[in-house]
Amino acid sequence: MKPQVVAHELGKRLREDAIVSCDSGTIATWWARHIPVKAGQMHSLSGNLASMANGLPYVIAAQVAYPRRQCVGFVGDGGLSMLMADFVTAVKYKLPIKIVVVKNNTLGQIKWEQMVFLGNPECGVELQPIDFSAFAHACGGAGYGVEDPEDCGHVVEEFLNVPGPAVLEAVVDPLEPPLPAKITADQALKFAESLARGEPNRKKIALTALSEKVREMV
Ligand SMILES: Cc1ncc(C[n+]2csc(CCOP(=O)(O)OP(=O)(O)O)c2C)c(N)n1
């Protein structure tokens, strides 16, 4: 599934009083482009210096401050894995937070920065996969998983409506590039260099990036 799908399906279903916190990473790109902010909602990213892992603690704080509002985290697997033990805090205090973890098994933002800023193939950014749904169950919360875009809408619906704290693990394509709105010549050159210098997924990445640009043009 493309990460944009889960962002879109979530965005459509957020309540008018939703408080949404998003992590730093490519996750912020999907949130900014595919989750519309509606009047009455509150949305936040990391407050300072783009620190990772803010999503879960921000949502816990939001739910304590506003017990009746819908509080949702839209987080990366790298970010969540840094502070995930705090999910049990939500279980302990019966905070009905909802955490959507976009699972690409990668420190995605760094992977694309290595290519587009440095002209290097990706290096050292793969994450050891975690079963976040099983983790949520182990903590005493609810856990859901989705990887087929066809199922995404109804799984998100069920997840948002479950009472109590819950985690939804959305398995996504790790090769979906968070393309900038305007690509500079330097970025394009560095990107091409990284592929030419042996980026291991170069064929699939080039095909995805090209097909997206072509789709935009037609
Ligand atoms: C505490 C902290 N460590 C490192 C970074 C550098 N950094 C920014 S985004 C990122 C990767 C985020 O990975 P993930 O949460 O899996 O989200 P993705 O980019 O894959 O969507 C890293 C390591 C940071 N911003 N904050």
Side-chain angles (χ1 to χ4, degrees):
M1 178 165 68
K2 299 288 184 189
Q4 294 93 326
V5 175
V6 62
H8 176 75
E9 295 294 347
L10 176 66
K12 277 200 296 199
R13 292 174 171 81
L14 288 171
R15 285 184 356 206
E16 279 178 10
D17 70 349
I19 302 178
V20 182
S21 287
C22 178
D23 269 356
S24 300
T26 64
I27 185 83
T29 305
W30 316 132
W31 163 77
R33 292 185 183 163
H34 299 279
I35 300 187
V37 181
K38 296 180 192 148
Q41 294 180 347
M42 287 199 275
H43 289 241
S44 61
L45 267 179
S46 175
N48 258 325
L49 301 174
S51 298
M52 287 163 71
N54 58 289
L56 174 63
Y58 280 21
V59 164
I60 291 175
Q63 194 76 79
V64 170
Y66 299 96
R68 272 179 278 283
R69 290 179 71 162
Q70 181 188 47
C71 296
V72 180
F74 189 69
V75 303
D77 46 0
L80 182 59
S81 64
M82 293 170 89
L83 286 182
M84 58 200 272
D86 250 345
F87 181 70
V88 84
T89 306
V91 176
K92 181 173 181 180
Y93 293 103
K94 299 186 173 41
L95 304 171
I97 61 166
K98 302 290 177 279
I99 302 294
V100 179
V101 54
V102 173
K103 182 176 175 179
N104 55 15
N105 298 323
T106 317
L107 296 170
Q109 184 73 29
I110 304 304
K111 175 173 84 176
W112 296 107
E113 285 180 1
Q114 288 172 338
M115 287 188 258
V116 175
F117 293 170
L118 304 174
N120 286 336
E122 64 184 80
C123 174
V125 289
E126 276 174 28
L127 294 170
Q128 179 65 24
I130 294 173
D131 184 338
F132 291 101
S133 169
F135 164 76
H137 284 292
C139 290
Y144 290 82
V146 65
E147 49 188 303
D148 184 337
E150 299 286 330
D151 296 335
C152 191
H154 74 83
V155 175
V156 169
E157 182 79 33
E158 195 183 330
F159 155 78
L160 286 176
N161 286 313
V162 74
V167 173
L168 168 61
E169 171 185 288
V171 180
V172 303
D173 178 4
L175 302 180
E176 180 67 9
L179 290 175
K182 287 194 182 127
I183 299 172
T184 66
D186 186 56
Q187 287 170 338
L189 199 65
K190 290 276 184 2
F191 183 50
E193 256 176 48
S194 74
L195 303 189
R197 290 167 80 182
E199 161 55 41
N201 294 302
R202 60 188 174 279
K203 283 194 186 136
K204 282 191 202 154
I205 289 173
L207 271 177
T208 311
L210 277 177
S211 64
E212 260 174 47
K213 273 290 141 200
V214 170
R215 251 202 314 274
E216 270 171 31
M217 288 157 66
V218 292

PDB file of all heavy atoms in Angstrom, residues 24-27 50-52 76-79 82 104 106-110 127, ligand 1:
ATOM      1  N   SER A  24       8.149  13.424  13.074  1.00  0.00           N
ATOM      2  CA  SER A  24       9.076  13.897  12.031  1.00  0.00           C
ATOM      3  C   SER A  24       9.461  12.718  11.145  1.00  0.00           C
ATOM      4  O   SER A  24       9.597  11.602  11.623  1.00  0.00           O
ATOM      5  CB  SER A  24      10.353  14.436  12.660  1.00  0.00           C
ATOM      6  OG  SER A  24      10.044  15.507  13.505  1.00  0.00           O
ATOM      7  N   GLY A  25       9.662  13.007   9.867  1.00  0.00           N
ATOM      8  CA  GLY A  25      10.034  11.951   8.928  1.00  0.00           C
ATOM      9  C   GLY A  25       9.236  12.105   7.649  1.00  0.00           C
ATOM     10  O   GLY A  25       8.522  13.103   7.476  1.00  0.00           O
ATOM     11  N   THR A  26       9.308  11.108   6.749  1.00  0.00           N
ATOM     12  CA  THR A  26       8.468  11.187   5.548  1.00  0.00           C
ATOM     13  C   THR A  26       6.999  11.190   5.957  1.00  0.00           C
ATOM     14  O   THR A  26       6.141  11.696   5.247  1.00  0.00           O
ATOM     15  CB  THR A  26       8.721  10.010   4.577  1.00  0.00           C
ATOM     16  OG1 THR A  26       8.335   8.784   5.201  1.00  0.00           O
ATOM     17  CG2 THR A  26      10.167   9.930   4.132  1.00  0.00           C
ATOM     18  N   ILE A  27       6.735  10.638   7.127  1.00  0.00           N
ATOM     19  CA  ILE A  27       5.377  10.621   7.681  1.00  0.00           C
ATOM     20  C   ILE A  27       4.756  12.029   7.666  1.00  0.00           C
ATOM     21  O   ILE A  27       3.567  12.196   7.396  1.00  0.00           O
ATOM     22  CB  ILE A  27       5.449  10.037   9.122  1.00  0.00           C
ATOM     23  CG1 ILE A  27       4.095   9.858   9.764  1.00  0.00           C
ATOM     24  CG2 ILE A  27       6.325  10.858  10.060  1.00  0.00           C
ATOM     25  CD1 ILE A  27       3.431   8.614   9.372  1.00  0.00           C
ATOM     26  N   ALA A  50      12.619  19.346  14.941  1.00  0.00           N
ATOM     27  CA  ALA A  50      12.164  18.132  14.256  1.00  0.00           C
ATOM     28  C   ALA A  50      12.523  16.846  14.981  1.00  0.00           C
ATOM     29  O   ALA A  50      12.835  15.838  14.357  1.00  0.00           O
ATOM     30  CB  ALA A  50      12.714  18.097  12.825  1.00  0.00           C
ATOM     31  N   SER A  51      12.462  16.854  16.308  1.00  0.00           N
ATOM     32  CA  SER A  51      12.738  15.613  17.053  1.00  0.00           C
ATOM     33  C   SER A  51      11.757  14.524  16.655  1.00  0.00           C
ATOM     34  O   SER A  51      10.569  14.785  16.505  1.00  0.00           O
ATOM     35  CB  SER A  51      12.607  15.819  18.561  1.00  0.00           C
ATOM     36  OG  SER A  51      13.533  16.751  18.982  1.00  0.00           O
ATOM     37  N   MET A  52      12.248  13.318  16.521  1.00  0.00           N
ATOM     38  CA  MET A  52      11.378  12.174  16.258  1.00  0.00           C
ATOM     39  C   MET A  52      10.609  11.813  17.534  1.00  0.00           C
ATOM     40  O   MET A  52      10.949  12.261  18.625  1.00  0.00           O
ATOM     41  CB  MET A  52      12.222  10.951  15.864  1.00  0.00           C
ATOM     42  CG  MET A  52      12.826  11.013  14.498  1.00  0.00           C
ATOM     43  SD  MET A  52      14.162   9.803  14.369  1.00  0.00           S
ATOM     44  CE  MET A  52      13.262   8.272  14.345  1.00  0.00           C
ATOM     45  N   GLY A  76       5.745   7.476  12.553  1.00  0.00           N
ATOM     46  CA  GLY A  76       6.612   6.561  11.810  1.00  0.00           C
ATOM     47  C   GLY A  76       7.005   5.374  12.679  1.00  0.00           C
ATOM     48  O   GLY A  76       6.941   5.431  13.913  1.00  0.00           O
ATOM     49  N   ASP A  77       7.447   4.288  12.022  1.00  0.00           N
ATOM     50  CA  ASP A  77       7.861   3.117  12.816  1.00  0.00           C
ATOM     51  C   ASP A  77       9.180   3.397  13.545  1.00  0.00           C
ATOM     52  O   ASP A  77       9.394   2.926  14.661  1.00  0.00           O
ATOM     53  CB  ASP A  77       7.928   1.829  11.988  1.00  0.00           C
ATOM     54  CG  ASP A  77       8.633   1.964  10.657  1.00  0.00           C
ATOM     55  OD1 ASP A  77       9.113   3.066  10.309  1.00  0.00           O
ATOM     56  OD2 ASP A  77       8.720   0.945   9.935  1.00  0.00           O
ATOM     57  N   GLY A  78      10.053   4.207  12.946  1.00  0.00           N
ATOM     58  CA  GLY A  78      11.281   4.596  13.635  1.00  0.00           C
ATOM     59  C   GLY A  78      10.964   5.448  14.846  1.00  0.00           C
ATOM     60  O   GLY A  78      11.474   5.226  15.946  1.00  0.00           O
ATOM     61  N   GLY A  79      10.080   6.428  14.660  1.00  0.00           N
ATOM     62  CA  GLY A  79       9.709   7.328  15.753  1.00  0.00           C
ATOM     63  C   GLY A  79       9.019   6.562  16.875  1.00  0.00           C
ATOM     64  O   GLY A  79       9.400   6.678  18.045  1.00  0.00           O
ATOM     65  N   MET A  82      11.030   4.441  19.294  1.00  0.00           N
ATOM     66  CA  MET A  82      11.860   5.115  20.303  1.00  0.00           C
ATOM     67  C   MET A  82      11.141   5.297  21.644  1.00  0.00           C
ATOM     68  O   MET A  82      11.767   5.343  22.683  1.00  0.00           O
ATOM     69  CB  MET A  82      12.304   6.500  19.786  1.00  0.00           C
ATOM     70  CG  MET A  82      13.244   6.410  18.605  1.00  0.00           C
ATOM     71  SD  MET A  82      13.495   8.025  17.853  1.00  0.00           S
ATOM     72  CE  MET A  82      14.876   8.609  18.804  1.00  0.00           C
ATOM     73  N   ASN A 104       7.239   1.313   7.282  1.00  0.00           N
ATOM     74  CA  ASN A 104       8.025   1.065   6.066  1.00  0.00           C
ATOM     75  C   ASN A 104       9.351   0.375   6.404  1.00  0.00           C
ATOM     76  O   ASN A 104      10.206   0.217   5.539  1.00  0.00           O
ATOM     77  CB  ASN A 104       8.266   2.378   5.296  1.00  0.00           C
ATOM     78  CG  ASN A 104       8.920   3.439   6.167  1.00  0.00           C
ATOM     79  OD1 ASN A 104       9.448   3.148   7.231  1.00  0.00           O
ATOM     80  ND2 ASN A 104       8.900   4.687   5.700  1.00  0.00           N
ATOM     81  N   THR A 106      11.886   1.377   7.733  1.00  0.00           N
ATOM     82  CA  THR A 106      13.020   2.217   7.315  1.00  0.00           C
ATOM     83  C   THR A 106      12.986   3.548   8.062  1.00  0.00           C
ATOM     84  O   THR A 106      11.903   4.047   8.391  1.00  0.00           O
ATOM     85  CB  THR A 106      12.884   2.584   5.802  1.00  0.00           C
ATOM     86  OG1 THR A 106      12.474   1.429   5.078  1.00  0.00           O
ATOM     87  CG2 THR A 106      14.160   3.115   5.225  1.00  0.00           C
ATOM     88  N   LEU A 107      14.174   4.126   8.269  1.00  0.00           N
ATOM     89  CA  LEU A 107      14.251   5.546   8.641  1.00  0.00           C
ATOM     90  C   LEU A 107      14.141   6.301   7.319  1.00  0.00           C
ATOM     91  O   LEU A 107      15.140   6.702   6.705  1.00  0.00           O
ATOM     92  CB  LEU A 107      15.567   5.836   9.363  1.00  0.00           C
ATOM     93  CG  LEU A 107      15.738   5.116  10.710  1.00  0.00           C
ATOM     94  CD1 LEU A 107      17.153   5.263  11.237  1.00  0.00           C
ATOM     95  CD2 LEU A 107      14.725   5.619  11.739  1.00  0.00           C
ATOM     96  N   GLY A 108      12.892   6.424   6.859  1.00  0.00           N
ATOM     97  CA  GLY A 108      12.644   6.854   5.487  1.00  0.00           C
ATOM     98  C   GLY A 108      13.245   8.213   5.136  1.00  0.00           C
ATOM     99  O   GLY A 108      13.888   8.384   4.108  1.00  0.00           O
ATOM    100  N   GLN A 109      13.023   9.180   6.025  1.00  0.00           N
ATOM    101  CA  GLN A 109      13.493  10.540   5.723  1.00  0.00           C
ATOM    102  C   GLN A 109      15.006  10.557   5.474  1.00  0.00           C
ATOM    103  O   GLN A 109      15.499  11.234   4.573  1.00  0.00           O
ATOM    104  CB  GLN A 109      13.158  11.455   6.913  1.00  0.00           C
ATOM    105  CG  GLN A 109      13.491  12.910   6.711  1.00  0.00           C
ATOM    106  CD  GLN A 109      12.532  13.586   5.752  1.00  0.00           C
ATOM    107  OE1 GLN A 109      11.371  13.189   5.637  1.00  0.00           O
ATOM    108  NE2 GLN A 109      12.997  14.582   5.053  1.00  0.00           N
ATOM    109  N   ILE A 110      15.718   9.765   6.267  1.00  0.00           N
ATOM    110  CA  ILE A 110      17.176   9.748   6.149  1.00  0.00           C
ATOM    111  C   ILE A 110      17.591   9.071   4.848  1.00  0.00           C
ATOM    112  O   ILE A 110      18.525   9.502   4.157  1.00  0.00           O
ATOM    113  CB  ILE A 110      17.801   9.045   7.382  1.00  0.00           C
ATOM    114  CG1 ILE A 110      17.344   9.723   8.666  1.00  0.00           C
ATOM    115  CG2 ILE A 110      19.320   8.997   7.278  1.00  0.00           C
ATOM    116  CD1 ILE A 110      17.619  11.213   8.756  1.00  0.00           C
ATOM    117  N   LEU A 127      15.185  -0.779   9.381  1.00  0.00           N
ATOM    118  CA  LEU A 127      14.767  -1.085  10.756  1.00  0.00           C
ATOM    119  C   LEU A 127      14.424  -2.566  10.869  1.00  0.00           C
ATOM    120  O   LEU A 127      13.887  -3.150   9.911  1.00  0.00           O
ATOM    121  CB  LEU A 127      13.524  -0.270  11.118  1.00  0.00           C
ATOM    122  CG  LEU A 127      13.700   1.246  11.209  1.00  0.00           C
ATOM    123  CD1 LEU A 127      12.337   1.923  11.341  1.00  0.00           C
ATOM    124  CD2 LEU A 127      14.580   1.607  12.395  1.00  0.00           C
TER     125      LEU A 127
HETATM  126  C1  LIG B   1      15.551  12.249  18.063  1.00  0.00           C
HETATM  127  C2  LIG B   1      15.893  12.324  16.614  1.00  0.00           C
HETATM  128  N1  LIG B   1      16.819  11.486  16.109  1.00  0.00           N
HETATM  129  C3  LIG B   1      17.121  11.550  14.787  1.00  0.00           C
HETATM  130  C4  LIG B   1      16.516  12.443  13.966  1.00  0.00           C
HETATM  131  C5  LIG B   1      16.850  12.503  12.486  1.00  0.00           C
HETATM  132  N2  LIG B   1      15.712  11.954  11.741  1.00  0.00           N
HETATM  133  C6  LIG B   1      14.749  12.735  11.211  1.00  0.00           C
HETATM  134  S1  LIG B   1      13.545  11.881  10.451  1.00  0.00           S
HETATM  135  C7  LIG B   1      14.310  10.413  10.801  1.00  0.00           C
HETATM  136  C8  LIG B   1      13.707   9.108  10.357  1.00  0.00           C
HETATM  137  C9  LIG B   1      12.294   8.908  10.781  1.00  0.00           C
HETATM  138  O1  LIG B   1      11.936   7.567  10.543  1.00  0.00           O
HETATM  139  P1  LIG B   1      10.481   7.046  10.770  1.00  0.00           P
HETATM  140  O2  LIG B   1       9.971   7.465  12.088  1.00  0.00           O
HETATM  141  O3  LIG B   1      10.463   5.576  10.514  1.00  0.00           O
HETATM  142  O4  LIG B   1       9.623   7.833   9.680  1.00  0.00           O
HETATM  143  P2  LIG B   1       9.757   7.824   8.077  1.00  0.00           P
HETATM  144  O5  LIG B   1      10.761   8.886   7.720  1.00  0.00           O
HETATM  145  O6  LIG B   1      10.180   6.453   7.647  1.00  0.00           O
HETATM  146  O7  LIG B   1       8.394   8.199   7.621  1.00  0.00           O
HETATM  147  C10 LIG B   1      15.499  10.609  11.513  1.00  0.00           C
HETATM  148  C11 LIG B   1      16.429   9.528  11.964  1.00  0.00           C
HETATM  149  C12 LIG B   1      15.563  13.325  14.538  1.00  0.00           C
HETATM  150  N3  LIG B   1      14.924  14.224  13.785  1.00  0.00           N
HETATM  151  N4  LIG B   1      15.261  13.223  15.864  1.00  0.00           N
END
